[in-house]
Amino acid sequence: MIRSIPKAVLNLLIINVILYIASRSIGDLSQLLGLRYPQNPEFGYWQVITHLFMHGNFMHLLFNMLILWMFGSTMEREWGTNKFLFFYFSSGLGAAAIQLLYYYLQINHLSTLLTDLSPFEIQQGLENKEFPRALVDAHLMTVSKAVEAFHVTMVGASGALYGVLAAFAFTFPNARLMLLFPPIPIKAKYLVPGLIVIDMVGAFSSYGIGSVAHFAHLGGALTGVLIMLYWRKLNK
């Protein structure tokens, strides 16, 4: 079975699993390799890539690796290794960029409200999670969201995989995929847009699921769609 998995997907699977095991055995590597907001003191430039190999828990890893195996293998066979890797990491970078933009807008919104504080004081408040009580009471939700955005650690290959899903739907629109709940077949050209709509609802409403980075999913899908449109235009 392993021999049937194309090279890039197999190596990605191995790296993800090794880093997950290492993170559970020698220490939480997500503190070093997960993606932080650029103004956070723990931000590192390498994190824009390494966060794609980190996962929060076993189910997070399992689900993403299944998607990578099922759809990534098909796309690597369709494109070849180099083209697939370019697409995969480009989608991951696009996902990170959109999620970081979302965090920036939250933090910038706080800065426009706290005009009595200097940029340095706001930075210190974000780092220490401490602001004057009166300002917190007046802008509780905005402060909470900005502090969360400043300190959150983004992990997972989901953004890159949403790009892969978009590419699969572009390439094989009429492929029938079996849902788990309910167990019915549905064409890729309907399933993938449906997943994107669900993420849009989660991103722009109060129906988001916990710590799911909905904007990263949307960013990965958008990047994948734009690349596919560009390649189609060039007849690649």
Side-chain angles (χ1 to χ4, degrees):
M1 179 179 176
I2 290 179
R3 291 182 179 179
S4 67
I5 303 176
K7 180 170 65 174
V9 169
L10 178 59
N11 286 328
L12 288 172
L13 289 170
I14 292 172
I15 294 171
N16 274 277
V17 171
I18 288 175
L19 286 177
Y20 179 79
I21 294 173
S23 192
R24 291 299 178 273
S25 57
I26 66 176
D28 188 3
L29 296 179
S30 65
Q31 300 303 309
L32 175 65
L33 303 180
L35 180 58
R36 301 298 190 104
Y37 186 70
Q39 286 182 297
N40 189 303
E42 296 183 15
F43 170 77
Y45 291 104
W46 60 86
Q47 294 169 359
V48 297
I49 294 295
T50 57
H51 81 279
L52 294 170
F53 298 98
M54 303 304 301
H55 290 84
N57 54 56
F58 178 73
M59 292 306 298
H60 188 201
L61 173 73
L62 178 63
F63 184 76
N64 277 351
M65 294 305 97
L66 283 173
I67 297 296
L68 175 59
W69 168 60
M70 292 171 61
F71 298 96
S73 296
T74 301
M75 297 315 302
E76 185 179 353
R77 293 190 189 98
E78 181 75 12
W79 289 335
T81 297
N82 292 337
K83 188 173 181 179
F84 172 77
L85 285 175
F86 171 81
F87 184 91
Y88 181 86
F89 285 109
S90 295
S91 296
L93 290 173
I98 295 299
Q99 189 68 34
L100 289 177
L101 175 61
Y102 171 65
Y103 292 152
Y104 166 78
L105 293 175
Q106 289 183 311
I107 292 172
N108 186 64
H109 180 51
L110 177 67
S111 299
T112 62
L113 293 176
L114 305 186
T115 54
D116 293 337
L117 300 182
S118 68
F120 175 78
E121 289 173 319
I122 294 175
Q123 173 76 15
Q124 289 298 109
L126 289 168
E127 288 185 21
N128 301 323
K129 303 180 183 181
E130 293 181 357
F131 288 93
R133 188 66 199 177
L135 293 177
V136 174
D137 290 340
H139 309 288
L140 178 60
M141 186 61 68
T142 301
V143 171
S144 298
K145 287 184 176 181
V147 169
E148 180 182 2
F150 190 86
H151 288 278
V152 71
T153 303
M154 189 168 76
V155 297
S158 303
L161 293 174
Y162 261 73
V164 173
L165 286 171
F168 184 89
F170 256 81
T171 310
F172 307 102
N174 294 313
R176 290 186 176 274
L177 306 174
M178 182 65 71
L179 295 177
L180 292 178
F181 303 104
I184 58 174
I186 183 171
K187 291 184 178 180
K189 63 183 178 181
Y190 301 130
L191 176 60
V192 174
L195 293 174
I196 293 172
V197 169
I198 290 173
D199 264 295
M200 291 181 66
V201 172
F204 294 103
S205 72
S206 59
Y207 296 99
I209 303 173
S211 59
V212 174
H214 293 290
F215 282 98
H217 294 175
L218 295 175
L222 176 62
T223 304
V225 167
L226 291 176
I227 293 175
M228 292 301 293
L229 290 173
Y230 179 69
W231 283 349
R232 178 171 291 182
K233 183 178 180 180
L234 295 180
N235 293 318
K236 282 199 168 188

